[in-house]
Amino acid sequence: MASLSTPPLRNGLVVGGGLVVVQPLRKRHCAGCRRGPLALLVVEGGVPRCLDCVDLGHLVFLPRGDTALTRRAREESALSAVVVRFDRRRGRYERQGVLVEEAGLARAEERCLADAEARRWRRVRDAGRRAVEDVRFTEAFAAEIRRLFPGCPEARARTIAAHASLRGSGRVGRSAAGRALSEGAVVSAVVASVRHVDTPYDQLLMSGVPRHEARRRITARVERVLRDWRDAPA
């Protein structure tokens, strides 16, 4: 999902161009007509305005999720706006969908229905291609684990590789370093596995031991397992 840096707004525009509408996190009222609390607003002149006051009240909301429909709805609409909401945890605005003209959305839906089957087969084909790529990468990751840690059982190496390289997981195997099979990324994946599988680390966390203290307590055991795996004959 695309995101916008904080702050992304200036008089109802994304810095760099494009209309933006905000889903506020707290109750806000329009500075013009005083209506509220507002489900959607535009920041104009540093103050909140309702959609009617900024001439966007006739637009309809299309939630994010269908990329083709969103793109076509914006193409079919003379006027559109991106809807964002601030994510406190990530410290940035994130897209929630778009506002488009109702007639434009209807035309976009017709276009999507017309080629829905073709797009479905394209998704199936792409999913198959990604699955093959994932299998090859997991095998390469496991082979690199075995090269660095020849004493690591083959089944364990495959399990570590599969866990670390799961698509969409955000784990080390999906990072740029992981995709490049850098030694640091591979070692990090192995250390994480040893920590959770071969030590009482998880039990320490569940008993209320702070993470840093729990890691300190199991450091020697992790290092012993890694040393045994690393020093074993190939």
Side-chain angles (χ1 to χ4, degrees), residues 103-138:
L105 176 57
R107 289 191 294 270
E109 289 171 337
E110 290 176 359
R111 289 173 59 186
C112 287
L113 286 173
D115 66 357
E117 186 64 14
R119 289 187 293 115
R120 186 182 72 83
W121 278 110
R122 189 181 304 120
R123 288 195 298 271
V124 171
R125 181 193 62 203
D126 291 345
R129 175 181 53 80
R130 288 193 297 270
V132 171
E133 291 174 352
D134 288 348
V135 168
R136 289 174 177 169
F137 176 68
T138 299

Side-chain angles (χ1 to χ4, degrees), residues 24 44 46 67 69 71 76-77 79 87 101 110 158 163 168 179 181 202 214 228:
E44 187 177 73
T67 304
L69 180 59
R71 173 174 52 81
E76 295 287 350
S77 298
L79 181 65
D87 187 312
E101 295 172 338
E110 290 176 359
R158 288 181 175 275
H163 179 79
R179 299 296 294 178
L181 295 178
D202 292 352
D228 291 345

Side-chain angles (χ1 to χ4, degrees), residues 2-10 13-15 20 22 25 43 84-95:
S3 62
L4 304 166
S5 300
T6 307
L9 312 177
R10 183 184 298 141
L13 299 176
V14 181
V15 174
V20 154
V22 177
L25 298 180
V43 178
V84 301
R85 184 172 61 209
F86 190 73
D87 187 312
R88 289 195 179 102
R89 183 175 61 84
R90 296 181 176 179
R92 66 190 185 190
Y93 283 92
E94 298 201 336
R95 296 178 188 264

Side-chain angles (χ1 to χ4, degrees), residues 24-30 35-39 41 48 88:
L25 298 180
R26 55 191 178 90
K27 294 181 179 180
R28 304 293 297 274
H29 289 70
C30 178
R35 282 192 300 172
L38 302 175
L41 61 86
R88 289 195 179 102

